[in-house]
Structure formats: structure tokens, C-alpha cells
Coordinates of all heavy atoms in Angstrom, one line a residue:
R7 N -67.4 -66.3 48.4 CA -66.4 -67.0 49.3 C -65.0 -66.6 48.9 O -64.0 -66.7 49.8 CB -66.5 -68.5 49.3 CG -67.8 -69.0 50.0 CD -67.8 -70.5 50.1 NE -68.9 -71.0 50.7 CZ -70.0 -71.6 50.1 NH1 -69.9 -71.8 48.8 NH2 -71.0 -72.0 50.8
D8 N -64.7 -66.0 47.7 CA -63.5 -65.5 47.4 C -63.1 -64.1 48.0 O -62.0 -63.7 48.0 CB -63.3 -65.4 45.9 CG -63.2 -66.8 45.2 OD1 -62.8 -67.7 45.9 OD2 -63.6 -66.8 44.0
F9 N -64.2 -63.5 48.6 CA -64.0 -62.2 49.2 C -63.5 -62.4 50.7 O -63.9 -63.3 51.3 CB -65.4 -61.4 49.2 CG -65.9 -61.1 47.9 CD1 -67.2 -60.5 47.8 CD2 -65.1 -61.1 46.7 CE1 -67.7 -60.1 46.5 CE2 -65.7 -60.8 45.5 CZ -66.9 -60.3 45.3
S10 N -62.8 -61.3 51.1 CA -62.4 -61.4 52.5 C -63.7 -61.1 53.4 O -64.7 -60.5 52.8 CB -61.4 -60.3 52.8 OG -61.8 -59.0 52.5
E11 N -63.6 -61.3 54.6 CA -64.8 -61.0 55.5 C -65.0 -59.5 55.5 O -66.2 -59.1 55.5 CB -64.5 -61.5 56.9 CG -64.4 -63.0 57.0 CD -64.3 -63.5 58.5 OE1 -64.3 -62.5 59.4 OE2 -64.2 -64.6 58.6
E12 N -64.0 -58.7 55.5 CA -64.2 -57.2 55.5 C -64.9 -56.7 54.2 O -65.8 -55.9 54.2 CB -62.8 -56.5 55.6 CG -62.9 -55.0 55.7 CD -61.6 -54.4 55.8 OE1 -60.6 -55.0 55.8 OE2 -61.5 -53.1 55.8
K13 N -64.5 -57.3 53.1 CA -65.1 -56.9 51.8 C -66.6 -57.4 51.8 O -67.4 -56.7 51.2 CB -64.4 -57.6 50.7 CG -64.8 -57.1 49.3 CD -63.9 -57.6 48.1 CE -64.3 -57.0 46.8 NZ -63.4 -57.4 45.7
Q14 N -66.8 -58.6 52.3 CA -68.2 -59.0 52.4 C -69.1 -58.0 53.2 O -70.2 -57.8 52.9 CB -68.4 -60.4 53.0 CG -67.7 -61.5 52.0 CD -68.0 -63.0 52.7 OE1 -69.0 -63.2 53.3 NE2 -67.0 -63.7 52.5
R15 N -68.5 -57.6 54.3 CA -69.3 -56.6 55.2 C -69.5 -55.3 54.5 O -70.5 -54.7 54.5 CB -68.5 -56.4 56.5 CG -68.6 -57.6 57.5 CD -68.2 -57.0 58.8 NE -66.8 -56.7 58.8 CZ -65.7 -57.4 59.1 NH1 -65.9 -58.7 59.3 NH2 -64.5 -56.9 59.1
N16 N -68.4 -54.9 53.7 CA -68.5 -53.5 53.0 C -69.6 -53.6 51.9 O -70.3 -52.7 51.7 CB -67.1 -53.2 52.5 CG -66.2 -52.8 53.6 OD1 -66.6 -52.4 54.7 ND2 -64.9 -52.8 53.3
L17 N -69.7 -54.8 51.2 CA -70.6 -54.9 50.1 C -71.9 -55.4 50.5 O -72.9 -55.6 49.7 CB -70.0 -55.9 49.1 CG -68.7 -55.5 48.4 CD1 -68.2 -56.5 47.4 CD2 -68.9 -54.2 47.5
H18 N -72.1 -55.8 51.8 CA -73.3 -56.3 52.3 C -73.8 -57.5 51.7 O -75.0 -57.7 51.2 CB -74.4 -55.2 52.3 CG -74.1 -53.9 52.9 ND1 -74.2 -53.8 54.4 CD2 -73.8 -52.8 52.5 CE1 -73.8 -52.7 54.7 NE2 -73.7 -51.9 53.6
V19 N -72.8 -58.5 51.4 CA -73.1 -59.8 50.9 C -72.6 -60.8 51.7 O -71.6 -60.6 52.5 CB -72.4 -59.9 49.4 CG1 -73.1 -58.9 48.4 CG2 -70.9 -59.7 49.4
R20 N -73.1 -62.0 51.6 CA -72.7 -63.2 52.4 C -73.1 -64.5 51.7 O -74.0 -64.5 50.9 CB -73.3 -63.2 53.8 CG -74.9 -63.0 53.7 CD -75.4 -63.0 55.1 NE -76.8 -62.7 55.1 CZ -77.8 -63.5 54.8 NH1 -77.5 -64.8 54.6 NH2 -79.0 -63.1 54.8
A21 N -72.3 -65.4 51.9 CA -72.6 -66.8 51.3 C -73.9 -67.4 52.2 O -73.9 -67.2 53.4 CB -71.4 -67.7 51.3
V22 N -74.7 -68.0 51.5 CA -75.8 -68.7 52.1 C -75.7 -70.2 52.0 O -75.8 -70.6 50.8 CB -77.2 -68.1 51.5 CG1 -78.3 -68.8 52.2 CG2 -77.2 -66.7 51.8
E23 N -75.5 -70.9 53.0 CA -75.5 -72.3 52.9 C -76.7 -72.9 52.5 O -77.8 -72.6 53.1 CB -75.1 -72.9 54.3 CG -74.8 -74.4 54.2 CD -74.4 -75.0 55.5 OE1 -74.2 -74.2 56.5 OE2 -74.3 -76.2 55.7
T24 N -76.7 -73.8 51.5 CA -77.9 -74.5 51.1 C -77.8 -76.0 51.0 O -76.7 -76.5 50.8 CB -78.3 -74.1 49.6 OG1 -77.2 -74.3 48.8 CG2 -78.6 -72.5 49.6
L25 N -78.8 -76.6 51.3 CA -78.9 -78.1 51.2 C -80.1 -78.5 50.4 O -81.2 -78.0 50.8 CB -78.9 -78.8 52.6 CG -79.0 -80.3 52.5 CD1 -77.8 -81.0 51.9 CD2 -79.2 -80.8 54.0
V26 N -80.0 -79.3 49.4 CA -81.1 -79.6 48.6 C -81.3 -81.1 48.7 O -80.5 -82.0 48.5 CB -80.8 -79.3 47.1 CG1 -82.0 -79.8 46.2 CG2 -80.5 -77.8 46.9
I27 N -82.5 -81.5 49.0 CA -82.9 -82.9 49.0 C -84.0 -83.2 48.0 O -85.2 -82.5 48.0 CB -83.5 -83.3 50.3 CG1 -82.5 -83.2 51.4 CG2 -84.0 -84.8 50.3 CD1 -82.9 -83.5 52.8
S28 N -83.7 -83.9 46.9 CA -84.7 -84.1 45.8 C -84.8 -85.6 45.5 O -84.1 -86.3 45.9 CB -84.3 -83.3 44.5 OG -82.9 -83.8 44.2
P29 N -85.9 -85.9 44.8 CA -86.2 -87.4 44.6 C -85.1 -88.1 43.7 O -84.5 -87.5 42.9 CB -87.5 -87.3 43.8 CG -88.1 -86.0 44.1 CD -87.0 -85.1 44.3
S30 N -84.9 -89.4 44.2 CA -83.9 -90.2 43.4 C -84.6 -91.1 42.4 O -84.0 -91.9 41.8 CB -83.2 -91.1 44.4 OG -84.1 -91.9 45.2
V31 N -85.9 -90.8 42.3 CA -86.8 -91.6 41.3 C -87.5 -90.6 40.5 O -87.7 -89.4 40.8 CB -87.7 -92.5 42.1 CG1 -86.9 -93.7 42.9 CG2 -88.6 -91.7 43.0

């Protein structure tokens, strides 16, 4: 996320949104 969009395209990398649901017990 510290990279510019152009740099992300050039390096072929992207942030992947994740959501984790795990037990509270």
C-alpha cells in the first residue's frame, strides 16, 4: 500500500483484502 498504483502495476503486485473470522471460545 506504500507503493503508487503505477509501481504496483510495474511490479505486478497488489494488496489483497482479507477478513478473518475465528472462534471467540
Side-chain angles (χ1 to χ4, degrees):
R7 289 190 181 105
D8 290 335
F9 294 168
S10 64
E11 291 186 7
E12 182 180 359
K13 188 173 184 179
Q14 290 184 35
R15 287 194 300 269
N16 292 336
L17 295 175
H18 301 288
V19 296
R20 54 183 169 79
V22 178
E23 183 180 353
T24 58
L25 177 63
V26 181
I27 300 178
S28 57
S30 58
V31 294

